[in-house]
Amino acid sequence: MTTESATVSDIEPKPLLSPVALTHLQRLEAESIHIMREVVAESDNPVMLYSIGKDSAVMLHLAIKAFYPALPPFPLLHVDTGWKFREMIAFRDDIVAKLGLTLLTHTNPEGVAQGVGPFTHGSAVHTDIMKTQGLKQALDQHGFDVAFGGARRDEEKSRAKERIFSFRSAQHRWDPKQQRPELWRTYNARKQKGESIRVFPLSNWTELDIWQYIHLENIPLVPLYFAAERPVVERDGTLIMVDDDRMPMRPGEVPEQKMVRFRTLGCYPLTGAVESTAATLPDIIQEMLLTTTSERQGRVIDHDQAASMEKKKQEGYF
Amino acid sequence: MAHISDLIGTDIDAYLLQHQHKSLLRFITCGSVDDGKSTLIGRLLYDSKMIFEDQMAALEADSKRVGTQGGEIDFALLVDGLAAEREQGITIDVAYRFFSTDRRKFIVADTPGHEQYTRNMVTGASTADLAVILVDARKGILTQTRRHSFLVSLIGIRKVVLAVNKMDLVGFDQAIFDQIVSDYRAFAAQIGLDDVTAIPISGLRGDNIASRSEATPWFDGPVLIDHLETVPLDEARRQQGDLRLPVQWVNRPNLDFRGFTGQIASGVVRPGDVVRVLPSGKQSKVARIVTYDGDLDLAVAGQSITLTLEDEIDCSRGDIIASGNPPEVADQFETTLIWMAEEAMLPGRSYWLKIGAKLVAATITEPKYKINVNTLEHLAAKSLTLNEIGVCNISLDQQIAFDPYKDNVDTGGFILIDRMTNATIGAGLINFALRRSQNIHWQALDVNKISRADLKGQRSAILWFTGLSGSGKSTIANLVEKQLFALGRHTTVLDGDNVRHGLNRDLGFTDADRVENIRRVAEVSKLMVEAGLITLVSFISPFRSERQMARDLVETSEFIEIFVDTPLAVAEERDVKGLYKKARSGALKNFTGIDSPYEAPITPEIHIDTTRMTPEQAADLIVERLRDRGLIKGGWQGPEI
């Protein structure tokens, strides 16, 4: 069956002699770009959560590609707990200025007023108030209906089942049993009043894919990922960098200079360093491939209990 | 993390170069609850060194605590993620797993085999190039094996691995394996699956997964991982098709640049290619293929690109840029639907349909038949319920460009969205366009509704009265019509009871019949509006979706929804026709407000609270509002007093 309006005769594309083999990174890149464009086409007020880490760096790079030659038509949002590494903040401000993007930052004012911090309140309270509640406040305050996040399905078991377009109730809760089926590359971005969507364009990337892509595309990273001499103390089996003078020393603790780097970045008191001499991307990738522990192991907040991430997410943690 | 290669330690740059050129295979695993599917996936992750020591330690601890292998490593625990399902010992949804070898990266869609199987399997299969179908060697081909294979074939997967699992439990007996394979091939051929590779395995022990098992010397086919690493991808076939670029977003950073973005669904494109924009059929040439990394000379299926065209032609989100044989354009189709919602499909109800980047309103006819997924029998059906598959005609509110699903998944597959909850309630595959939609053109008429209404000195409209039975709709509508008549307006009334005696006397009171009832009335009202009449429609019309559908048939200003708001207790108290009494006694089924829902309007144009005004006051108020809306002005204003 053909339609009256079009005929075959006048259109003769040249045939392709042999197929072009797309690499897995090209396919992942194309998928992420497709997801981002779909969000921009279907949402009223999107935002990209920018955590300054390597996954955020890749997500931002993909956004630049997706909308080129235009700039990404949404702002970046950084939920600043007030305890990020100083180098992260400097890097953030530098990259945003270079790219000419809009950056919004939010720090939970109630948390600040109560003096909430990881040393005084512990990791669970600090993370909940400064990160989870801070994020909800920022999203509500600006009325964002879609927020891009850099989470990957390979990070953790509950993530493996989360959709790319993941809906949150007006209270920002995730209900794993009410997820919409997601077929082909056809995403249903229609939402109920009050609902918002978290969209994860990096869902199908693995940690190795992220590093490989950073290497291939020369994506700038916070220097903390690379090994250098840094002042650290060993506390409860974890190397914590003394990033500023807010860190109280326990009896007998003296900061030592050690060659260390970080596999993930977060609040400095909650992020364990690893001893390493890996100072280039290939060195880092090599070290990662030969290591025997998973990347989230350096995160103090995951250790609490089995299925802890699933619980946090149902409560609104990103 | 990744497959352990010697190169990592000795020459990381060489390793990175190799990894960079890996291809990607997405596959789905299908099996019943006890076929060992999670164990197989856990084994694939384990054998490709995807499990870190800390995860391994957690796995060992979990295996002892909740494992099903008597304290031995239970690989299924690696993939059974959510707390709820761990407790139940089942996987409840689609999960995606990742592993890689020296040659390929793999994404595995892991779907459960229990009652939600159809929805989850179809979802997982929709992005897969290959299916691994697991069979328990002790049990052979079961009903569920046939069901899984049918779904795999339906969704368009062409390559199948038949993994005959638990070979260790049948003593690696070749005769058993051969019998299962021959049974399966006979069945698979019937449903169009002819690319089948059979492998005898033991997921638990690892036989023929990553390396050749010594227990099956008689087997000379590939082991599972080797096969997955080397099986040809669908890529080549997709690139050989005609160009289809569903336009996702138009990039206009400034007046000099207008780029059409999208992910190429099939074919290839080069600058200079002549392309058409569908459904308009406008033609142009590709000027540039713009990317951040510089302009391209060639882009292929799978890539997300930005095109500029040589001419300033209309092209927006939802259109398809095509070359070669153009896609068809139509607004009515025969489709195969997979129903995914708890709420049954209602023929005649208006749903959103999303195909590529296009969103249109769709109504579905009664199924021609539904398919028993176990026996492949065609069964008569009035509707489709959760996990049912049926063949239905679909009619859209506008023409779209498409390809049959069997030719192009991205331009022939669609999802259905509920207009009220916005949930994804179904998926569909376009089989073909109905000839009538292509050959019956809308008849353009010289005398139109404006001229007809002008002649009557009025503007036509629908006054849609909705409310419970006994709320007073017909009484008020009657009074409003009398006032309009006195004002010299041309009116007509469609009343629920009366229409059911004639036009709709074949319909009952099930949800499906109620939807059809309103659809017909809405269409008739539309014709009345075309005739220039002020049309008063008095129907319970309990569902928001159908009132919305009626609203969508006419222009915004022409539809006035009047909510005759009477609390159930009051309507039941009045019970003019004695119907509530009957319904309460059980003599009358599906009665709105009693055992069938009434969805009150959220923002009606006019809201009548009958507990606070008489029918006469209500009629006065409605006429007043119509005056405010400019529906009654000019022409003869009635005798001046």
Side-chain angles (χ1 to χ4, degrees):
Chain A
M1 262 182 270
T2 55
T3 57
E4 286 170 285
S5 58
T7 51
V8 192
S9 57
D10 51 350
I11 300 173
E12 288 172 21
K14 285 163 270 178
L16 195 63
L17 294 175
S18 62
V20 177
L22 296 180
T23 67
H24 71 295
L25 290 174
Q26 285 174 312
R27 283 182 65 180
L28 290 171
E29 180 188 78
E31 177 184 69
S32 302
I33 289 175
H34 173 81
I35 291 163
M36 288 181 180
R37 288 171 174 167
E38 200 61 14
V39 166
V40 164
E42 293 228 350
S43 65
D44 301 321
N45 190 16
V47 67
M48 178 169 280
L49 297 183
Y50 180 69
S51 72
I52 319 174
K54 65 182 195 308
D55 302 296
S56 279
V58 167
M59 184 163 65
L60 179 57
H61 185 75
L62 289 165
I64 298 285
K65 286 193 168 195
F67 302 101
Y68 178 85
L71 282 176
F74 43 76
L76 305 183
L77 170 66
H78 178 225
V79 178
D80 190 349
T81 61
W83 292 85
K84 300 293 171 189
F85 290 92
R86 284 175 300 164
E87 272 189 273
M88 288 172 72
I89 303 299
F91 178 86
R92 175 194 76 186
D93 294 343
D94 185 47
I95 203 94
V96 167
K98 267 190 195 142
L99 294 173
L101 301 172
T102 307
L103 171 77
L104 306 168
T105 61
H106 179 84
T107 306
N108 183 348
E110 292 150 32
V112 173
Q114 291 164 27
V116 171
F119 294 120
T120 46
H121 293 72
S123 71
V125 171
H126 168 72
T127 303
D128 177 54
I129 293 182
M130 300 312 288
K131 199 166 168 177
T132 309
Q133 304 305 327
L135 171 65
K136 292 186 201 173
Q137 286 170 350
L139 294 176
D140 288 343
Q141 187 186 319
H142 295 278
F144 292 121
D145 60 341
V146 180
F148 289 109
R152 310 187 316 266
R153 285 173 173 156
D154 80 324
E155 276 178 85
E156 194 269 335
K157 274 191 270 192
S158 76
R159 291 263 192 236
K161 308 207 161 183
E162 189 161 8
R163 304 291 188 259
I164 292 173
F165 282 59
S166 187
F167 287 73
R168 297 292 186 275
S169 69
Q171 293 73 42
H172 298 280
R173 289 185 70 93
W174 179 56
D175 182 352
K177 290 194 172 156
Q178 290 296 325
Q179 298 202 87
R180 296 178 179 175
E182 218 162 56
L183 291 104
W184 303 293
R185 55 178 77 136
T186 310
Y187 301 102
N188 175 3
R190 300 185 63 83
K191 55 197 171 298
Q192 296 297 97
K193 207 169 160 45
E195 267 185 344
S196 59
I197 318 178
R198 310 287 188 268
V199 174
F200 304 108
L202 304 181
S203 287
N204 289 326
W205 295 61
T206 62
E207 187 182 9
L208 177 58
D209 297 330
I210 293 286
W211 282 115
Q212 177 100 44
Y213 191 71
I214 289 168
H215 179 50
L216 206 62
E217 299 275 314
N218 279 317
I219 300 172
L221 278 189
V222 185
L224 292 162
Y225 284 112
F226 301 92
E229 292 254 326
R230 297 187 171 99
V232 292
V233 293
E234 186 172 339
R235 187 174 282 185
D236 307 325
T238 306
L239 288 176
I240 301 294
M241 176 170 160
V242 185
D243 195 46
D244 58 35
D245 55 14
R246 290 180 294 173
M247 181 167 170
M249 290 298 126
R250 291 180 186 167
E253 273 182 353
V254 180
E256 285 180 78
Q257 288 293 120
K258 278 193 175 166
M259 275 298 274
V260 293
R261 63 178 199 88
F262 296 87
R263 292 178 66 188
T264 61
L265 293 179
C267 296
Y268 82 80
L270 301 177
T271 309
V274 289
E275 290 197 65
S276 167
T277 55
T280 67
L281 276 169
D283 288 351
I284 288 173
I285 298 172
Q286 184 175 39
E287 196 175 274
M288 179 196 69
L289 290 171
L290 296 175
T291 190
T292 51
T293 53
S294 62
E295 87 185 300
R296 293 196 80 92
Q297 213 210 14
R299 295 193 191 176
V300 180
I301 53 170
D302 278 2
H303 288 256
D304 314 349
Q305 50 174 303
S308 67
M309 184 59 82
E310 183 188 347
K311 230 174 130 233
K312 283 200 182 68
K313 279 173 49 177
Q314 288 185 12
E315 288 157 8
Y317 179 79
F318 208 75
Chain B
M1 171 72 214
H3 183 71
I4 293 297
S5 161
D6 290 341
L7 275 180
I8 295 170
T10 56
D11 188 350
I12 184 67
D13 291 315
Y15 173 83
L16 286 175
L17 202 65
Q18 182 190 61
H19 185 76
Q20 180 186 318
H21 289 99
K22 280 179 193 178
S23 55
L24 173 66
L25 177 77
R26 299 187 67 142
F27 68 95
I28 180 174
T29 52
C30 321
S32 307
V33 179
D34 295 320
D35 288 343
K37 191 161 41 69
S38 293
T39 305
L40 174 67
I41 296 173
R43 168 63 70 175
L44 285 171
L45 302 185
Y46 180 78
D47 281 355
S48 57
K49 311 287 191 289
M50 293 295 295
I51 300 169
F52 292 115
E53 274 179 12
D54 54 328
Q55 292 171 328
M56 197 63 200
L59 176 64
E60 279 168 16
D62 283 356
S63 298
K64 289 203 176 78
R65 202 162 52 80
V66 288
T68 57
Q69 298 299 325
E72 292 290 298
I73 299 279
D74 184 352
F75 289 110
L77 293 177
L78 272 176
V79 294
D80 292 346
L82 301 179
E85 68 195 72
R86 267 214 229 174
E87 283 155 20
Q88 296 162 18
I90 48 162
T91 49
I92 56 170
D93 208 324
V94 190
Y96 296 90
R97 313 289 168 194
F98 307 85
F99 67 98
S100 64
T101 65
D102 283 343
R103 296 192 201 169
R104 273 196 180 150
K105 167 177 168 150
F106 299 93
I107 302 180
V108 191
D110 177 16
T111 60
H114 64 103
E115 74 269 15
Q116 291 288 323
Y117 58 89
T118 298
R119 178 170 82 178
N120 295 332
M121 245 203 73
V122 165
T123 301
S126 72
T127 51
D129 306 314
L130 175 147
V132 176
I133 294 182
L134 275 140
V135 174
D136 185 329
R138 294 169 303 173
K139 298 177 186 162
I141 309 300
L142 300 175
T143 300
Q144 41 274 53
T145 317
R146 285 192 272 270
R147 174 206 300 156
H148 296 148
S149 302
F150 168 66
L151 293 174
V152 158
S153 142
L154 179 75
I155 215 73
I157 295 178
R158 290 168 164 79
K159 298 183 185 74
V160 169
V161 172
L162 180 71
V164 182
N165 193 21
K166 306 195 182 181
M167 283 301 290
D168 50 322
L169 299 181
V170 295
F172 294 97
D173 186 337
Q174 181 182 3
I176 291 176
F177 175 76
D178 287 347
Q179 185 60 49
I180 290 173
V181 174
S182 108
D183 289 352
Y184 186 77
R185 284 191 194 282
F187 165 73
Q190 287 171 29
I191 54 169
L193 293 175
D194 44 21
D195 188 347
V196 178
T197 303
I199 307 175
I201 64 166
S202 163
L204 200 62
R205 299 178 10 137
D207 296 271
N208 291 330
I209 306 284
S211 58
R212 191 158 289 280
S213 169
E214 288 176 10
T216 54
W218 42 268
F219 176 66
D220 56 6
V223 304
L224 184 58
I225 284 186
D226 278 351
H227 180 67
L228 296 175
E229 276 185 319
T230 53
V231 63
L233 299 171
D234 275 350
E235 213 162 48
R237 194 177 52 82
R238 288 203 152 212
Q239 291 176 15
Q240 278 154 13
D242 293 314
L243 173 70
R244 299 288 185 262
L245 176 68
V247 176
Q248 245 192 316
W249 184 69
V250 181
N251 193 352
R252 298 217 69 169
N254 55 57
L255 291 177
D256 302 326
F257 189 90
R258 188 153 162 266
F260 304 103
T261 72
Q263 189 169 13
I264 303 176
S266 64
V268 302
V269 62
R270 299 182 179 86
D273 282 357
V274 176
V275 292
R276 260 182 209 288
V277 177
L278 279 298
S280 75
K282 298 252 168 56
Q283 192 172 307
S284 184
K285 265 187 187 173
V286 175
R288 297 169 58 199
I289 305 170
V290 181
T291 79
Y292 171 80
D293 303 299
D295 283 10
L296 301 181
D297 296 328
L298 171 75
V300 303
Q303 284 181 291
S304 283
I305 57 163
T306 302
L307 287 186
T308 63
L309 300 179
E310 285 186 357
D311 310 279
E312 283 267 331
I313 58 173
D314 273 350
C315 181
S316 51
R317 174 168 166 85
D319 290 344
I320 294 181
I321 294 177
S323 68
N325 275 316
E328 295 175 47
V329 173
D331 60 3
Q332 292 186 49
F333 309 94
E334 188 200 270
T335 65
T336 303
L337 293 187
I338 301 123
W339 202 253
M340 300 182 161
E342 300 283 346
E343 215 177 290
M345 180 265 271
L346 289 177
R349 170 167 285 189
S350 179
Y351 297 103
W352 290 120
L353 180 151
K354 189 175 182 192
I355 179 164
K358 187 91 180 170
L359 188 75
V360 293
T363 51
I364 310 170
T365 62
E366 253 180 33
K368 294 179 172 175
Y369 56 87
K370 63 180 180 186
I371 301 167
N372 178 328
V373 293
N374 294 327
T375 62
L376 310 187
E377 267 179 299
H378 293 182
L379 306 170
K382 288 262 177 202
S383 171
L384 295 176
T385 59
L386 180 63
N387 289 317
E388 285 191 331
I389 296 175
V391 170
C392 306
N393 288 346
I394 277 197
S395 164
L396 308 182
D397 66 346
Q398 58 184 280
Q399 298 214 315
I400 58 161
F402 76 98
D403 294 289
Y405 184 81
K406 66 176 172 48
D407 296 340
N408 197 317
V409 167
D410 289 311
T411 54
F414 58 86
I415 59 171
L416 289 169
I417 300 168
D418 185 281
R419 293 177 79 119
M420 291 300 146
T421 65
N422 285 320
T424 303
I425 49 176
L429 324 172
I430 295 182
N431 299 333
F432 50 81
L434 299 177
R435 293 203 67 91
R436 61 173 179 259
S437 89
Q438 292 169 324
N439 296 333
I440 299 175
H441 294 276
W442 190 257
Q443 196 65 45
L445 301 168
D446 292 331
V447 179
N448 59 27
K449 71 177 164 192
I450 307 242
S451 46
R452 291 188 202 104
D454 278 350
L455 193 66
K456 300 177 183 71
Q458 64 185 35
R459 280 180 36 216
S460 50
I462 297 175
L463 309 185
W464 190 284
F465 293 79
T466 173
L468 293 171
S469 175
S471 60
K473 296 181 298 297
S474 297
T475 309
I476 295 170
N478 183 42
L479 290 168
V480 170
E481 189 179 29
K482 274 163 74 176
Q483 286 203 32
L484 292 174
F485 187 81
L487 290 169
R489 303 301 122 181
H490 296 254
T491 56
T492 191
V493 170
L494 294 169
D495 181 82
D497 289 346
N498 299 350
V499 170
R500 277 188 178 277
H501 281 115
L503 176 66
N504 289 356
R505 71 171 165 211
D506 57 325
L507 299 177
F509 291 88
T510 61
D511 283 359
D513 279 358
R514 283 173 187 275
V515 170
E516 175 61 14
N517 184 37
I518 298 303
R519 188 192 70 79
R520 292 185 196 172
V521 169
E523 289 287 355
V524 171
S525 317
K526 185 188 172 183
L527 292 175
M528 297 294 173
V529 166
E530 293 289 333
L533 296 174
I534 297 174
T535 310
L536 295 87
V537 179
S538 173
F539 274 72
I540 299 173
S541 47
F543 304 134
R544 280 183 207 122
S545 298
E546 279 62 60
R547 297 194 300 264
Q548 182 67 39
M549 180 258 293
R551 183 185 289 272
D552 291 345
L553 283 178
V554 293
E555 284 166 43
T556 318
S557 61
E558 291 171 347
F559 191 89
I560 295 153
E561 185 175 33
I562 301 167
F563 177 27
V564 183
D565 187 0
T566 303
L568 179 63
V570 177
E572 194 167 354
E573 174 75 30
R574 292 182 196 152
D575 206 5
V576 192
K577 302 170 195 162
L579 296 174
Y580 283 96
K581 206 174 156 206
K582 270 198 201 169
R584 286 288 182 201
S585 73
L588 196 55
K589 292 281 176 211
N590 298 322
F591 193 75
T592 300
I594 308 293
D595 56 351
S596 182
Y598 178 77
E599 299 168 0
I602 297 168
T603 50
E605 273 75 11
I606 302 175
H607 187 159
I608 301 294
D609 181 348
T610 66
T611 61
R612 302 174 133 210
M613 61 180 92
T614 63
E616 289 73 18
Q617 288 169 325
D620 289 347
L621 178 77
I622 292 167
V623 173
E624 191 55 40
R625 292 286 175 80
L626 298 182
R627 220 184 279 282
D628 295 345
R629 291 179 161 265
L631 255 130
I632 313 170
K633 70 174 177 196
W636 187 61
Q637 292 287 333
E640 298 209 20
I641 303 168

